Amino acid sequence: MLWPDHPSPPSSGQIPAEQAVWEGVNGVWKPLDGSFFGGGVSIEWHDFRVDADMDWARSFHPGCLEICLNFSGSGALQDGAAEQRIEAGQVAIYTTHPGRPKARRAAGSWHRFLTLEMGREFLRTHFDGSRDRLKEPVCRFMDSNGEPPAWLEIVPLPPSLLGTRMELLQPPVPESARPMWYRAKVLEILAQTLFVADNPTELFCQRHQRQNRERVDRVCYLIERDLENPPSLEMLAQEVGCSPFHLSRVFAEQAGMSIPKYLRTKRIERAAELLQAGKANVTEAAMSVGYSSLSAFNKAFVEQMGCCPGLYPVVKIQGRKGRASKA
């Protein structure tokens, strides 16, 4: 069943239609805020695994501009002759209309991504006065009627949006303020994806410092994405476009610790969260963050958290209450 090509309230049969796309999928589809049909914009979270390639296009709302922030998993989109791949750490921007673009999600991996769907009126309301700085396809979409003009663009995910996932899933505001907060976050994401990049004259040293900050942000994201099987130093260096030696030096300068120490810190923090929440025992927590040796895990945990992992959920550690109260 196809969705209508305008942001009007859905009929009683249309909401189950989108839900049906995700039935039988091993994972989560979670609308976070808004309604494409009721308010012209919606934001949704996806976290699932498929054993066979999935027709992802079945979930698209025809007649909208959609942005996908892809945190893990790979797939492909096609609106024209050539198919374009979307990988982890990329943003896909595309217009949707019946049967286009073609899209699939690849089997065998976990797919975690956010989607923003918006209609013409929403964009006209918020960005009509900024046309001279918008990407040209956005203006074409805003001016169109009926079937929107085709647009498919896949670009790197801005480093500033790498941490957006957890913030959107756990808003740091009271529930009554969430609609306003989500609207502000949507506009922030659009400001970073739909506008033409500034091109000011940048001094060499400034460009060098910016590139180093972006490299470190990217490395932190790649490490935290898979603590159990983190990429090697060589793989990280290749991903961010520099030598392993340069990356090690820059990371230590920017983060205040080496890459191995950062990995260990994040592993222990994640394990402590699992233990505190009662979601895993000591062995399960150690294995889930990549430790194959319980003795090595216990030693690292005691050094960082001040007690052995088995006692962590029940022992009152000096300073933990104070830190939690500030959060």
Side-chain angles (χ1 to χ4, degrees), residues 37-293:
F37 299 99
V41 65
S42 63
I43 182 167
E44 301 171 358
W45 168 246
H46 308 77
D47 185 346
F48 63 88
R49 180 184 177 89
V50 287
D51 295 323
D53 282 5
M54 173 190 176
D55 182 4
W56 177 27
R58 291 180 58 218
S59 69
F60 296 166
H61 303 334
C64 81
L65 177 66
E66 185 162 320
I67 298 175
C68 170
L69 307 183
N70 199 53
F71 296 100
S72 70
S74 63
L77 297 105
Q78 182 177 356
D79 199 342
E83 182 179 80
Q84 296 188 47
R85 299 281 303 174
I86 179 170
E87 304 290 351
Q90 292 185 318
V91 178
I93 309 172
Y94 44 92
T95 53
T96 62
H97 31 108
R100 298 173 66 183
K102 297 178 180 178
R104 60 183 174 84
R105 282 278 166 177
S109 63
W110 278 99
H111 299 272
R112 296 181 176 93
F113 57 94
L114 284 158
T115 55
L116 283 72
E117 300 101 0
M118 64 215 80
R120 300 175 181 89
E121 287 303 319
F122 175 83
L123 291 172
R124 290 168 184 161
T125 299
H126 290 87
F127 298 115
D128 199 50
S130 305
R131 285 174 170 267
D132 59 330
R133 299 304 299 156
L134 287 170
K135 293 178 179 178
E136 193 271 336
V138 182
C139 295
R140 289 205 312 265
F141 174 77
M142 291 165 59
D143 293 337
S144 64
N145 292 301
E147 184 174 292
W151 182 28
L152 172 58
E153 175 179 297
I154 299 177
V155 296
L157 187 66
S160 56
L161 293 180
L162 292 173
T164 299
R165 170 179 58 175
M166 294 308 300
E167 192 177 30
L168 289 170
L169 291 174
Q170 299 175 343
V173 296
E175 187 171 354
S176 59
R178 288 183 182 179
M180 177 176 61
W181 182 86
Y182 271 116
R183 180 59 57 90
K185 295 303 292 185
V186 165
L187 294 176
E188 178 185 335
I189 293 171
L190 298 185
Q192 297 191 58
T193 54
L194 299 186
F195 283 74
V196 176
D198 289 328
N199 227 351
T201 302
E202 187 177 34
L203 296 177
F204 173 79
C205 61
Q206 294 173 326
R207 182 170 68 252
H208 185 67
Q209 292 171 354
R210 174 180 55 79
Q211 289 175 338
N212 286 340
R213 288 194 301 270
E214 291 177 352
R215 282 168 173 159
V216 171
D217 288 343
R218 178 70 175 162
V219 167
C220 291
Y221 166 72
L222 292 170
I223 290 173
E224 294 180 45
R225 186 180 67 181
D226 191 355
L227 293 174
E228 184 178 359
N229 298 294
S232 66
L233 175 61
E234 289 73 20
M235 294 168 65
L236 290 170
Q238 184 177 11
E239 176 72 23
V240 300
C242 67
S243 70
F245 174 79
H246 180 73
L247 177 59
S248 296
R249 181 174 61 81
V250 166
F251 191 94
E253 291 174 354
Q254 296 280 334
M257 64 181 75
S258 66
I259 292 177
K261 184 175 181 180
Y262 182 83
L263 171 61
R264 188 183 75 169
T265 298
K266 291 302 176 180
R267 279 175 161 173
I268 298 303
E269 287 178 355
R270 182 74 57 81
E273 291 173 1
L274 294 172
L275 293 169
Q276 184 68 39
K279 295 181 179 180
N281 59 35
V282 173
T283 300
E284 292 168 341
M287 298 293 287
S288 69
V289 297
Y291 278 90
S292 57
S293 167

